[in-house]
Amino acid sequence: MTGWVKGIRLAKAVALAAFLWTGVSAAAFADGFDVGMQYYRAGLYEDALPFVRQAAEDGNDKAMYQMGEFYFYGCRGLERDRAVALDWYRRSAEAGNVQAFFTLGQLYSQGRGVERDRAKAARYYWEAASAGHAGAQNNLGALCARGKGVQKDEALAAGWLKKSAGQGNVRAMGSYGYFLSEGRGVERDDWEAVKWLSRASAAGYRPASVRLAVMMEEGRGTRRDAGGAFDIHMQMARAGSPLSLYRLGRMYERGEGTAQNREKAFELYTLAAQKNMPDAQLRLGEWYADGIHVKRDDAKALEFFRQAAAGNRGEAMYRLGQFYEAGRATGRDRGQARMWYERAAQAGHPAAKARLGEGPVQAGLN
């Protein structure tokens, strides 16, 4: 017998002795799933597998779920097979396992091992969320907020996020705080928003820290603290937050919370724009269009306005309408001008709504 085989057998013997020494009763060993999981936690995977499989075949929903995990991620003595894993997850869910519902929701939402299907994801999340699973409540809230797989319903989204946040889900705390700060799906409540954002920020959730800094900048739900906001934005910008890069640019441009530095503002706006931050793209477009702190350049302005318009910024759409109407950096095109004015009006831009009633643009279309 080789030393390696002796070592394995010795490890098994030590592991079993440890189970008995720590007070595992004979009754526990009568449950095959418990025995299998004891082996599994001890790293004896090949010994664990037959016990867990038998318990799963006998109808143990936890064992079914564990078999799904074994096949999905791979286990020594078992070939990785995500199709088989999916079948075990489904069997576990059908037996009422809440975690299985949540996992199936994740797989369909992300397209992991299956074709992405957010409608199925939402149904599985709903089952788990209704049973009180905090992660499923958060994820279902996110789908409802975006209208992915379900009809968009911000009030329903806020409700699920609140439930998840109440159970301590950090992402839900941050998202619910954001909803409160914007009045999305709930009545706007800055003080309550700051409470949830602070909790999420303290737990290390970066988006909540960024939003909290914005609230501090504006003195919403907390005393105005431009210096404190600047410090948070600086930390979050180093971590790559596009919004913090943009807000730092604003603060440098205005001299709020720091000394005014337009060169630094331009640098930060550019970094944020490169990360597809529409507000930064819009501001750079304004700088180039109006010659603010830089030499006027209509071609660059047009490009930045296009980028910001793609991010659904009504002001950028309105400025594009102006460019096409006046023929700045592009041929004069009243049809394009009207199209951009209409899009801006749909986004709620008041000047675009007024502009649509004026003669020159309308006359070019009718």
Side-chain angles (χ1 to χ4, degrees):
M1 183 182 297
T2 67
W4 183 81
V5 173
K6 287 181 180 179
I8 292 294
R9 290 188 174 178
L10 178 61
K12 292 180 181 180
V14 171
L16 285 173
F19 299 156
L20 294 173
W21 182 258
T22 53
V24 177
S25 66
F29 281 101
D31 187 327
F33 176 63
D34 286 344
V35 174
M37 292 310 294
Q38 290 281 16
Y39 276 122
Y40 178 75
R41 295 185 188 104
L44 306 175
Y45 306 116
E46 293 182 6
D47 294 284
L49 185 58
F51 285 101
V52 176
R53 185 188 293 278
Q54 186 59 56
E57 295 291 358
D58 290 342
N60 184 310
D61 65 285
K62 292 180 180 178
M64 294 176 191
Y65 179 80
Q66 192 60 49
M67 287 301 298
E69 294 283 274
F70 285 165
Y71 275 106
F72 193 87
Y73 294 104
C75 178
R76 190 178 303 160
L78 192 68
E79 286 189 20
R80 189 175 185 179
D81 189 326
R82 291 189 168 178
V84 175
L86 194 67
D87 182 61
W88 279 115
Y89 287 140
R90 285 174 176 152
R91 290 174 64 178
S92 179
E94 288 167 3
N97 188 285
V98 175
Q99 185 62 33
F101 280 117
F102 175 65
T103 297
L104 285 166
Q106 287 184 306
L107 296 182
Y108 278 106
S109 179
Q110 299 166 9
R112 295 177 59 204
V114 293
E115 184 177 351
R116 174 176 283 183
D117 187 332
R118 289 196 173 102
K120 282 187 178 179
R123 289 196 292 273
Y124 283 121
Y125 281 147
W126 186 89
E127 292 285 353
S130 298
H133 193 289
Q137 291 168 344
N138 173 70
N139 292 5
L140 182 58
L143 291 180
C144 290
R146 297 169 187 160
K148 301 290 186 181
V150 292
Q151 185 175 348
K152 185 174 181 177
D153 188 330
E154 291 190 338
L156 186 59
W160 283 118
L161 291 172
K162 183 179 181 180
K163 288 182 178 182
S164 182
Q167 293 197 69
N169 185 285
V170 175
R171 286 179 176 269
M173 290 179 188
S175 296
Y176 185 56
Y178 172 74
F179 270 53
L180 286 164
S181 72
E182 292 292 304
R184 290 181 57 182
V186 291
E187 185 177 351
R188 176 174 154 176
D189 188 332
D190 289 345
W191 296 100
E192 191 73 4
V194 167
K195 180 185 79 173
W196 287 109
L197 291 170
S198 297
R199 290 180 182 177
S201 176
Y205 188 48
R206 290 175 180 172
S209 298
V210 174
R211 189 65 188 175
L212 182 61
V214 172
M215 301 292 279
M216 292 167 65
E217 277 183 71
E218 300 173 354
R220 292 176 49 197
T222 183
R223 69 180 181 85
R224 189 172 186 275
D225 184 357
F230 180 86
D231 291 341
I232 294 174
H233 280 314
M234 185 65 74
Q235 182 181 0
M236 293 299 104
R238 292 194 185 104
S241 166
L243 180 55
S244 280
L245 286 167
Y246 165 68
R247 301 296 292 207
L248 280 175
R250 275 171 45 110
M251 298 182 88
Y252 272 114
E253 183 180 1
R254 299 176 180 185
E256 296 177 349
T258 187
Q260 190 176 57
N261 187 329
R262 290 163 180 167
E263 291 77 15
K264 189 68 175 176
F266 180 80
E267 175 188 338
L268 289 162
Y269 285 149
T270 301
L271 289 172
Q274 290 170 350
K275 289 178 174 286
N276 294 319
M277 168 52 61
D279 290 328
Q281 293 161 345
L282 172 60
R283 190 59 184 146
L284 287 172
E286 292 170 337
W287 276 32
Y288 281 114
D290 302 330
I292 302 174
H293 315 314
V294 294
K295 183 179 179 180
R296 176 172 157 172
D297 188 325
D298 285 351
K300 286 184 178 180
L302 185 70
E303 179 56 30
F304 280 119
F305 285 144
R306 287 188 188 283
Q307 292 174 16
N312 201 36
R313 291 304 181 269
E315 177 64 21
M317 298 172 191
Y318 178 70
R319 295 300 294 265
L320 284 171
Q322 289 182 314
F323 266 52
Y324 275 105
E325 185 179 7
R328 289 179 61 180
T330 182
R332 181 174 292 180
D333 188 329
R334 288 177 175 175
Q336 280 289 309
R338 182 175 179 83
M339 183 272 288
W340 283 113
Y341 285 141
E342 287 175 343
R343 289 187 59 183
Q346 289 169 3
H349 196 284
K353 293 178 181 179
R355 190 73 187 88
L356 285 170
E358 293 181 12
V361 175
Q362 191 169 7
L365 297 171
N366 299 329

